[in-house]
Amino acid sequence: MIITIPSKVLYYNSEQYKKWVNGERGDCPDGYCKGLPGSYGFGEYLVGCYYKNNGYSWIHHDFDVFGGNRPGKYPVAEDILIRYLGKEKYESARTLYRAFKNIEQPDLLIFKSDLSEVRFAEAKRQDTRDKLRESQIRGLVLISVLLGCKVEVFDIVETGKDYDTKDIVWEF
């Protein structure tokens, strides 16, 4: 079985970056992301904005797909996932952390307000040399295969820099 995870490039300009670092985050709807220090959360914010402009809402960090946190820790995300996946599938997914200790969930939970679609994304900033880890790929693959949700990786690149991205291919 071969799983392909799409990889996209999002470009930002220096003004967007400066605003984020200076704490000008009034348009960021995610409390966790908005509260991160310095440039942390900038890539996730850009991916969130990309999806917001396409009719989605998003949550950074405050969700648990694999069962690494106690039930009820993230009630908003838990409600979204139960309503989209169904209680049985959601509870089954929450056992994956014990079965696959070396998995990570992605940065963002992305969803349509009517819950007609739920997807996940990972952001990788190239200015910080952030690289996709195998445990992150495993998490994305499990979400794609077992939950049937779309997953993507976004490379975050400063405007004017040459960057070529490749889809991620995982074989079983």
Side-chain angles (χ1 to χ4, degrees):
M1 176 186 281
I2 299 173
I3 306 299
T4 301
I5 300 169
S7 187
K8 298 179 179 179
V9 178
L10 280 183
Y11 290 96
Y12 67 91
N13 61 49
S14 60
E15 188 62 31
Q16 289 173 294
Y17 180 78
K18 285 178 197 171
K19 282 182 174 184
W20 184 263
V21 171
N22 290 334
E24 298 174 42
R25 303 175 182 188
D27 64 337
C28 180
D30 185 86
Y32 178 85
C33 194
K34 187 187 285 192
L36 291 170
S39 70
Y40 289 103
F42 180 63
E44 291 82 355
Y45 162 75
L46 291 176
V47 174
C49 287
Y50 168 84
Y51 277 107
K52 183 179 177 191
N53 291 337
N54 287 291
Y56 293 84
S57 297
W58 56 280
I59 297 172
H60 171 48
H61 181 275
D62 288 353
F63 63 93
D64 181 16
V65 178
F66 300 133
N69 295 290
R70 64 174 167 69
K73 182 173 183 177
Y74 304 117
V76 172
E78 189 171 305
D79 180 60
I80 290 165
L81 291 169
I82 289 171
R83 288 173 46 211
Y84 182 74
L85 298 171
K87 191 162 182 69
E88 187 176 318
K89 195 174 202 179
Y90 174 70
E91 287 178 358
S92 179
R94 288 189 47 81
T95 67
L96 293 172
Y97 184 73
R98 287 180 299 204
F100 298 91
K101 294 240 186 263
N102 195 13
I103 57 173
E104 291 181 54
Q105 60 190 11
D107 293 323
L108 298 167
L109 164 63
I110 301 151
F111 56 96
K112 291 275 189 175
S113 60
D114 65 359
L115 298 182
S116 61
E117 185 178 0
V118 168
R119 59 195 315 151
F120 295 85
E122 181 69 33
K124 292 296 171 194
R125 285 182 43 202
Q126 298 309 303
D127 64 323
T128 61
R129 300 179 201 258
D130 193 11
K131 300 285 185 218
L132 194 61
R133 296 182 297 279
E134 189 171 322
S135 57
Q136 292 171 317
I137 296 171
R138 279 194 198 105
L140 291 166
V141 167
L142 286 171
I143 288 169
S144 175
V145 172
L146 298 178
L147 302 181
C149 295
K150 292 180 182 176
V151 295
E152 295 168 300
V153 173
F154 285 82
D155 293 305
I156 311 302
V157 180
E158 186 175 4
T159 300
K161 305 268 182 180
D162 286 333
Y163 190 80
D164 203 16
T165 190
K166 289 188 270 187
D167 291 346
I168 294 96
V169 178
W170 186 270
E171 289 189 53
F172 288 97

